[in-house]
Amino acid sequence: MSKSLEERIAKSIAVLKEDLNTVRAGRANPALLDKVSVDYYGSPTPLKNLSNISVPDPRTLMIAPFDPKSIGDIEKAINMAEIGITPSNDGKCIRLTIPQLTEERRKELTKTTKKMGEDAKVAVRNLRREANDSLKKQQKDGELTEDDLKKELDIVQKTIEKAVKDIDEVVAAKDKEILEI
């Protein structure tokens, strides 16, 4: 029981980390483009499958398409993704210059990360409820004794508390990155 709970918690935390990677923290991070999808010959294709994304300096992302003909489609997809950065196209590659964040924008971004963290905590708490309900049903069906139920519920609670602590640490690390000047 606890193995599947731990796996599901790990998935929730992995999703949170992916979502946090898309938050622009004032420094160039290729993960910023993970959710950008390009219409490539009629089918939506992830940008990272169509190009080489590099970080030549801390404030610049450089996108070098494998197929030079797709550069216009890539530029259009970046604009449509509304990541808040205007691409500059030199015909061979696209450069994204990450602007310096204002103090106000940094505070807004930390609110966003905290909301993402809260959403992850809600998901984890829902997993706790499901696990507890399952254990209580097992006890009701005679598969668990009352003492075993109490032990299992305690294990579930400790697992959830650790997951919530992990979520807080992930969010705190991202907030620290955002607030660095």
Side-chain angles (χ1 to χ4, degrees):
M1 176 69 203
S2 65
K3 275 287 179 239
S4 70
L5 176 64
E6 288 172 7
E7 287 170 9
R8 292 171 72 191
I9 288 171
K11 281 183 189 168
S12 293
I13 293 174
V15 167
L16 171 66
K17 286 179 180 176
E18 271 181 44
D19 289 346
L20 288 176
N21 275 339
T22 63
V23 175
R24 188 162 47 97
R27 98 167 40 122
N29 180 353
L32 185 65
L33 301 171
D34 280 355
K35 296 200 165 132
V36 175
S37 186
V38 180
D39 185 26
Y40 186 63
Y41 291 108
S43 65
T45 310
L47 176 59
K48 61 185 173 188
N49 293 359
L50 296 174
S51 61
N52 185 15
I53 302 170
S54 60
V55 185
D57 66 66
R59 302 197 106 16
T60 307
L61 284 174
M62 190 166 82
I63 304 154
F66 301 134
D67 175 5
K69 293 183 189 113
S70 67
I71 200 160
D73 293 332
I74 291 173
E75 187 175 16
K76 182 178 169 192
I78 292 169
N79 282 325
M80 288 175 60
E82 295 180 356
I83 56 176
I85 305 169
T86 306
S88 66
N89 176 351
D90 69 6
K92 292 187 181 110
C93 65
I94 296 173
R95 292 185 197 294
L96 297 176
T97 304
I98 314 293
Q100 187 74 28
L101 293 176
T102 64
E103 190 62 31
E104 186 179 313
R105 181 69 179 134
R106 290 175 198 275
K107 286 188 169 73
E108 278 177 39
L109 289 174
T110 58
K111 286 179 189 171
T112 302
T113 60
K114 283 179 178 36
K115 166 107 176 62
M116 290 174 171
E118 273 311 309
D119 291 347
K121 287 181 194 176
V122 167
V124 165
R125 289 181 188 125
N126 286 338
L127 294 175
R128 173 181 56 197
R129 186 175 31 80
E130 289 172 21
N132 287 349
D133 289 349
S134 172
L135 290 169
K136 288 174 185 170
K137 184 180 183 310
Q138 287 177 1
Q139 194 246 346
K140 196 175 191 179
D141 294 345
E143 297 170 27
L144 284 176
T145 65
E146 200 163 316
D147 287 343
D148 288 343
L149 173 67
K150 202 166 184 63
K151 284 179 196 167
E152 289 295 321
L153 289 175
D154 194 42
I155 290 169
V156 167
Q157 182 60 32
K158 283 186 170 77
T159 305
I160 297 302
E161 286 170 3
K162 182 188 178 311
V164 167
K165 186 175 167 243
D166 292 347
I167 289 169
D168 285 339
E169 288 171 5
V170 167
V171 170
K174 185 64 177 187
D175 285 348
K176 183 177 180 245
E177 181 186 330
I178 289 170
L179 294 173
E180 281 177 1
I181 295 176

